[in-house]
Amino acid sequence: MSRRLERTALTIVSGVCWAIPFLFDAASPFVFVCLVPFLFLIASRRYQGVVLSSYAVGIIYIALSVSWQSSIWLPLPLVCGLYFGLYVLLLGWALSRSIRHTRLPLSLLCPALFVGMELMRLYVSLFRSTWLHLAYPLHEWTSLIQISRWTGHFGVTAIILLCNVAVTEVVLAVYEGRRLLSRRLILSFASAILFLGIALGYGGLRNTQADNQVGPTIAVVQPNLHISEIISHERWLVNLDIYIRMTRDQGGDGIDLWIWPEAAYPGYLESSPAVIAAMKRLTRDLSTPILFGALGTRREGDEDRPTNTGFYATPDEFYAGRYDKRVLVPFGETLPIIEMIPSLRRRVSALIHKAIGFRPHIAPGEHAEPATIRWGDRDVRFGALICYEVVMPDLARQSRSEGADFLVNISNEAWFPPKEQDQMIAMAKFRAVENGISLVRATTNGITCVISPRGEVIASLPRGRRQAEVMVQEIPLTSSGPTFYARWGDLFSVVLLLVVGGLWFREWKRTRREP
């Protein structure tokens, strides 16, 4: 077999292996070895053109992992692969250059470079996101992911890389005919075992500590509506009646907060007096506040633009709080680049709305303080996240640092198949663990649930039903303060990059001095 054919086969295998943990829940342990073909492709120095091969690996891995997006638009997984694959191309270039020009071990280079790539996807991107970050397949590994309280999910990524590097070193030693008990290989395995053991030990200790107490009781309506029913203008008031009926049937006794999902009323609330009147009657009759999703408006220049808003209504004040979604879905709610040209934005927005029902001209919101509910003789605060925002650790962290006692994520995922909902839950679990507080998800058709501060789903509603359902659950509150990650953010990742970057620069200077 020619080397070019070998490289092509290895490229395809690398992309498929990388995607497997995201495609199959039962394959989550595979994440500890899923990068071995890719790392071998780069580190073996056997193949030419590995940087372009890295781009192909990225395209395959991304496109397969979000293949569910084809139900929205057939080419969308490939489009995502072509864009986000650029980050894997950059990773492949940096890793291959580092291997050729420094003597730094893979056990240092790989955790730093992969964490760096994930940080870039979050903060340096037209479409910022943590979707498909390497830690997320391990969302069921409750003990392991507790380290996220200190490092964010990036710490779990670093541990996964150490394990992949250890196995890759064995493969490289066999391929190159080196001793298996070499110092380099022993150090790789020792690093992986050490840090994996620290994380598991810390998680086991955390799971034995009883630092949570029973908190307020929330009730969530999941209407189980098809997307065609949600976006149909003729159905808006009918759907609203479903929410009101389910809420009245349950009543307000013993409930401290009612939560309805994103787009519970898909119209403009402020220009719908009948809806406002119905909601005011409901909150007064129940004597219970309600958080619900609807369209708001925001003035920008000479234009009133819609906002994707969570309205917080109390028995005493209808507009007691408001949260406008800040991070918008690209091409669904906002048009990157085109957004800067208002006349073009309006034309393209109208075409997309007519084609698929989305409104890609939503105005991004601004910062909002956590809202307050009364629970017994004390105030409890919650921070709101709308749909896609649950993938952003910085937004959840900001709410926690400002005093939120729990998070509420209202979402409309009726557009998407179950695999998208599974991936959203995985990311939501990490937001709960990172900040050490509970997270409530309220969705139109699943997965509605309560996630504990340890990342465990303690209550949920089934999906796939056709009748509306209500979930009532007490929220665990933590008795400890904000976690290290909530206070200091991505400090672990920054220190990791600075340390490895300093070592890399020293090695680079050394190689330039050598003849």
Side-chain angles (χ1 to χ4, degrees):
M1 183 185 294
S2 69
R3 289 198 178 183
R4 179 176 295 181
L5 191 57
E6 280 183 27
R7 188 189 70 187
T8 301
L10 192 55
T11 297
I12 295 170
V13 170
S14 298
V16 172
C17 286
W18 198 337
I20 284 174
F22 297 96
L23 292 173
F24 308 104
D25 291 339
S28 61
F30 189 65
V31 77
F32 292 107
V33 295
C34 71
L35 296 172
V36 171
F38 175 69
L39 296 179
F40 178 82
L41 175 69
I42 303 295
S44 66
R45 305 191 191 187
R46 175 177 171 81
Y47 307 104
Q48 299 294 320
V50 294
V51 174
L52 286 178
S53 293
S54 298
Y55 186 41
V57 170
I59 293 172
I60 295 168
Y61 135 65
I62 295 288
L64 286 177
S65 300
V66 296
S67 55
W68 52 263
Q69 291 183 342
S70 60
S71 63
I72 307 168
W73 184 46
L74 189 60
L76 189 54
L78 178 59
V79 172
C80 288
L82 289 169
Y83 175 74
F84 288 108
L86 293 171
Y87 291 90
V88 183
L89 181 149
L90 184 60
L91 170 69
W93 173 81
L95 184 56
S96 62
R97 294 278 294 180
S98 299
I99 290 170
R100 291 178 187 278
H101 298 290
T102 75
R103 292 183 298 190
L104 293 178
L106 291 178
S107 54
L108 271 179
L109 287 172
C110 290
L113 289 175
F114 272 77
V115 167
M117 179 189 70
E118 292 190 348
L119 283 172
M120 287 184 66
R121 283 181 53 192
L122 174 58
Y123 296 115
V124 188
S125 177
L126 286 174
F127 321 116
R128 57 184 299 243
S129 174
T130 66
W131 215 294
L132 303 183
H133 278 195
L134 205 55
Y136 291 143
L138 297 180
H139 64 96
E140 295 282 2
W141 295 50
T142 309
S143 293
L144 178 60
I145 68 175
Q146 299 307 309
I147 198 71
S148 301
R149 293 169 58 90
W150 294 83
T151 65
H153 68 282
F154 302 107
V156 180
T157 291
I159 291 172
I160 291 170
L161 260 298
L162 287 174
C163 295
N164 276 273
V165 166
V167 178
T168 303
E169 291 284 16
V170 172
V171 176
L172 286 171
V174 172
Y175 173 73
E176 296 170 0
R178 291 189 278 110
R179 289 187 305 116
L180 287 179
L181 294 180
S182 65
R183 179 183 176 188
R184 175 174 155 184
L185 196 148
I186 291 172
L187 284 175
S188 292
F189 267 92
S191 300
I193 293 170
L194 174 64
F195 287 101
L196 184 61
I198 290 173
L200 289 171
Y202 172 73
L205 179 64
R206 281 287 313 159
N207 288 338
T208 63
Q209 295 175 344
D211 58 353
N212 294 329
Q213 59 182 337
V214 174
T217 299
I218 58 94
V220 182
V221 177
Q222 180 177 294
N224 291 321
L225 297 169
H226 189 269
I227 187 59
S228 61
E229 297 173 304
I230 294 173
I231 65 175
S232 171
H233 187 277
E234 292 75 17
R235 288 273 314 186
W236 288 358
L237 292 179
V238 175
N239 296 342
L240 184 66
D241 285 340
I242 293 174
Y243 284 104
I244 292 175
R245 173 173 50 81
M246 296 298 292
T247 303
R248 285 192 180 279
D249 288 349
Q250 183 68 41
D253 292 342
I255 294 173
D256 300 294
L257 175 65
W258 272 97
I259 306 171
W260 297 356
E262 176 191 21
Y265 179 68
Y268 291 93
L269 179 70
E270 293 143 316
S271 58
S272 305
V275 175
I276 293 173
M279 294 302 297
K280 284 182 176 179
R281 284 194 302 272
L282 183 62
T283 54
R284 283 197 301 265
D285 292 347
L286 297 178
S287 297
T288 306
I290 300 177
L291 174 70
F292 64 98
L295 284 181
T297 54
R298 179 178 171 185
R299 191 73 176 174
E300 287 192 356
D302 60 349
E303 182 183 11
D304 284 327
R305 294 184 62 186
T307 56
N308 188 347
T309 300
F311 288 96
Y312 179 53
T314 70
D316 300 322
E317 185 180 0
F318 184 70
Y319 292 113
R322 167 178 176 152
Y323 175 77
D324 296 334
K325 188 177 182 182
R326 288 180 281 172
V327 180
L328 305 175
V329 178
F331 301 104
E333 295 172 318
T334 186
L335 299 167
I337 302 176
I338 296 174
E339 183 71 26
M340 295 181 284
I341 310 172
S343 58
L344 180 60
R345 181 194 70 222
R346 285 191 286 269
R347 292 193 187 97
V348 175
S349 172
L351 289 173
I352 295 177
H353 186 206
K354 184 178 180 180
I356 62 174
F358 268 36
R359 295 178 175 84
H361 62 303
I362 301 289
E366 298 177 345
H367 170 63
E369 293 283 337
T372 302
I373 62 173
R374 193 68 180 168
W375 175 55
D377 59 354
R378 62 170 283 195
D379 289 335
V380 174
R381 308 182 76 197
F382 68 89
L385 301 168
I386 299 180
C387 190
Y388 179 72
E389 291 182 322
V390 80
V391 315
M392 307 296 173
D394 51 316
L395 300 187
R397 190 176 71 237
Q398 184 180 29
S399 289
R400 177 56 173 151
S401 65
E402 292 175 346
D405 297 298
F406 66 97
L407 298 170
V408 177
N409 175 215
I410 60 173
S411 189
N412 170 25
E413 292 161 37
W415 299 90
F416 309 117
K419 178 49 68 177
E420 182 273 349
Q421 298 166 3
D422 294 336
Q423 291 177 356
M424 287 284 276
I425 283 289
M427 293 180 278
K429 288 180 178 180
F430 274 89
R431 301 297 86 83
V433 174
E434 287 165 349
N435 296 284
I437 54 178
S438 298
L439 187 148
V440 182
R441 294 200 78 232
T443 70
T444 48
N445 65 342
I447 301 172
T448 293
C449 65
V450 175
I451 301 171
S452 77
R454 293 190 176 94
E456 301 163 316
V457 175
I458 58 175
S460 65
L461 289 176
R463 58 187 174 190
R465 303 277 183 88
R466 285 300 294 156
Q467 69 273 19
E469 296 182 273
V470 173
M471 177 182 71
V472 179
Q473 178 64 34
E474 292 173 324
I475 301 297
L477 297 181
T478 182
S479 56
S480 56
T483 63
F484 182 89
Y485 184 73
R487 292 180 185 275
W488 297 98
D490 299 313
L491 182 62
F492 159 81
S493 302
V494 172
V495 170
L496 175 65
L497 291 175
L498 288 176
V499 169
V500 176
L503 293 172
W504 187 95
F505 185 68
R506 188 184 69 176
E507 279 290 300
W508 178 76
K509 286 178 63 178
R510 180 191 59 77
T511 57
R512 284 181 60 95
R513 287 197 300 266
E514 290 180 351

